[in-house]
mmCIF file of all heavy atoms in Angstrom:
data_model
loop_
_atom_site.group_PDB
_atom_site.id
_atom_site.type_symbol
_atom_site.label_atom_id
_atom_site.label_comp_id
_atom_site.label_asym_id
_atom_site.label_seq_id
_atom_site.Cartn_x
_atom_site.Cartn_y
_atom_site.Cartn_z
ATOM 1 N N CYS U 448 1.281 -5.269 -14.398
ATOM 2 C CA CYS U 448 0.108 -6.019 -13.944
ATOM 3 C C CYS U 448 -1.098 -5.691 -14.814
ATOM 4 O O CYS U 448 -1.448 -4.519 -15.003
ATOM 5 C CB CYS U 448 -0.179 -5.676 -12.483
ATOM 6 S SG CYS U 448 -1.684 -6.410 -11.834
ATOM 7 N N ALA U 449 -1.728 -6.741 -15.344
ATOM 8 C CA ALA U 449 -2.905 -6.545 -16.195
ATOM 9 C C ALA U 449 -4.044 -5.895 -15.419
ATOM 10 O O ALA U 449 -4.875 -5.179 -15.983
ATOM 11 C CB ALA U 449 -3.351 -7.877 -16.779
ATOM 12 N N GLY U 450 -4.084 -6.128 -14.106
ATOM 13 C CA GLY U 450 -5.129 -5.545 -13.267
ATOM 14 C C GLY U 450 -4.796 -4.169 -12.753
ATOM 15 O O GLY U 450 -5.573 -3.594 -11.978
ATOM 16 N N GLY U 451 -3.642 -3.635 -13.149
ATOM 17 C CA GLY U 451 -3.291 -2.273 -12.760
ATOM 18 C C GLY U 451 -2.804 -2.111 -11.342
ATOM 19 O O GLY U 451 -2.805 -0.998 -10.804
ATOM 20 N N ILE U 452 -2.373 -3.200 -10.696
ATOM 21 C CA ILE U 452 -1.887 -3.106 -9.317
ATOM 22 C C ILE U 452 -0.420 -2.706 -9.368
ATOM 23 O O ILE U 452 0.496 -3.527 -9.279
ATOM 24 C CB ILE U 452 -2.092 -4.443 -8.570
ATOM 25 C CG1 ILE U 452 -3.568 -4.844 -8.609
ATOM 26 C CG2 ILE U 452 -1.616 -4.329 -7.123
ATOM 27 C CD1 ILE U 452 -3.864 -6.190 -7.993
ATOM 28 N N MET U 453 -0.199 -1.407 -9.534
ATOM 29 C CA MET U 453 1.141 -0.855 -9.655
ATOM 30 C C MET U 453 1.186 0.528 -9.030
ATOM 31 O O MET U 453 0.181 1.246 -8.992
ATOM 32 C CB MET U 453 1.558 -0.780 -11.127
ATOM 33 C CG MET U 453 1.764 -2.141 -11.786
ATOM 34 S SD MET U 453 2.115 -1.992 -13.551
ATOM 35 C CE MET U 453 0.513 -1.424 -14.156
ATOM 36 N N ALA U 454 2.371 0.906 -8.580
ATOM 37 C CA ALA U 454 2.541 2.162 -7.856
ATOM 38 C C ALA U 454 2.193 3.383 -8.693
ATOM 39 O O ALA U 454 1.843 4.433 -8.146
ATOM 40 C CB ALA U 454 3.972 2.268 -7.335
ATOM 41 N N LYS U 455 2.285 3.280 -10.016
ATOM 42 C CA LYS U 455 1.978 4.443 -10.860
ATOM 43 C C LYS U 455 0.487 4.763 -10.887
ATOM 44 O O LYS U 455 0.096 5.861 -11.288
ATOM 45 C CB LYS U 455 2.478 4.200 -12.284
ATOM 46 C CG LYS U 455 1.723 3.144 -13.068
ATOM 47 C CD LYS U 455 2.257 3.056 -14.490
ATOM 48 C CE LYS U 455 1.475 2.045 -15.329
ATOM 49 N NZ LYS U 455 1.968 1.983 -16.721
ATOM 50 N N GLU U 456 -0.351 3.829 -10.464
ATOM 51 C CA GLU U 456 -1.795 4.058 -10.404
ATOM 52 C C GLU U 456 -2.148 4.768 -9.094
ATOM 53 O O GLU U 456 -1.670 4.372 -8.022
ATOM 54 C CB GLU U 456 -2.551 2.734 -10.506
ATOM 55 C CG GLU U 456 -2.253 1.929 -11.763
ATOM 56 C CD GLU U 456 -2.738 2.628 -13.023
ATOM 57 O OE1 GLU U 456 -3.681 3.439 -12.925
ATOM 58 O OE2 GLU U 456 -2.168 2.358 -14.105
ATOM 59 N N ASN U 457 -3.002 5.777 -9.184
ATOM 60 C CA ASN U 457 -3.373 6.544 -7.987
ATOM 61 C C ASN U 457 -3.921 5.657 -6.881
ATOM 62 O O ASN U 457 -3.702 5.914 -5.688
ATOM 63 C CB ASN U 457 -4.404 7.624 -8.346
ATOM 64 C CG ASN U 457 -3.824 8.705 -9.245
ATOM 65 O OD1 ASN U 457 -2.617 8.907 -9.279
ATOM 66 N ND2 ASN U 457 -4.689 9.399 -9.980
ATOM 67 N N LYS U 458 -4.648 4.634 -7.264
ATOM 68 C CA LYS U 458 -5.280 3.741 -6.296
ATOM 69 C C LYS U 458 -4.262 3.031 -5.417
ATOM 70 O O LYS U 458 -4.534 2.685 -4.270
ATOM 71 C CB LYS U 458 -6.140 2.704 -7.037
ATOM 72 C CG LYS U 458 -6.912 1.751 -6.135
ATOM 73 C CD LYS U 458 -7.762 0.795 -6.958
ATOM 74 C CE LYS U 458 -8.548 -0.155 -6.067
ATOM 75 N NZ LYS U 458 -9.542 0.540 -5.253
ATOM 76 N N TRP U 459 -3.069 2.794 -5.991
ATOM 77 C CA TRP U 459 -2.053 2.037 -5.266
ATOM 78 C C TRP U 459 -0.886 2.913 -4.811
ATOM 79 O O TRP U 459 0.159 2.415 -4.396
ATOM 80 C CB TRP U 459 -1.553 0.882 -6.138
ATOM 81 C CG TRP U 459 -2.663 -0.073 -6.451
ATOM 82 C CD1 TRP U 459 -3.386 -0.147 -7.606
ATOM 83 C CD2 TRP U 459 -3.223 -1.054 -5.577
ATOM 84 N NE1 TRP U 459 -4.352 -1.119 -7.508
ATOM 85 C CE2 TRP U 459 -4.272 -1.692 -6.275
ATOM 86 C CE3 TRP U 459 -2.933 -1.469 -4.268
ATOM 87 C CZ2 TRP U 459 -5.031 -2.721 -5.709
ATOM 88 C CZ3 TRP U 459 -3.680 -2.493 -3.706
ATOM 89 C CH2 TRP U 459 -4.709 -3.101 -4.429
#
Side-chain angles (χ1 to χ4, degrees):
C448 175
I452 303 176
M453 292 175 291
K455 70 177 183 178
E456 302 294 335
N457 293 337
K458 183 178 181 65
W459 298 100

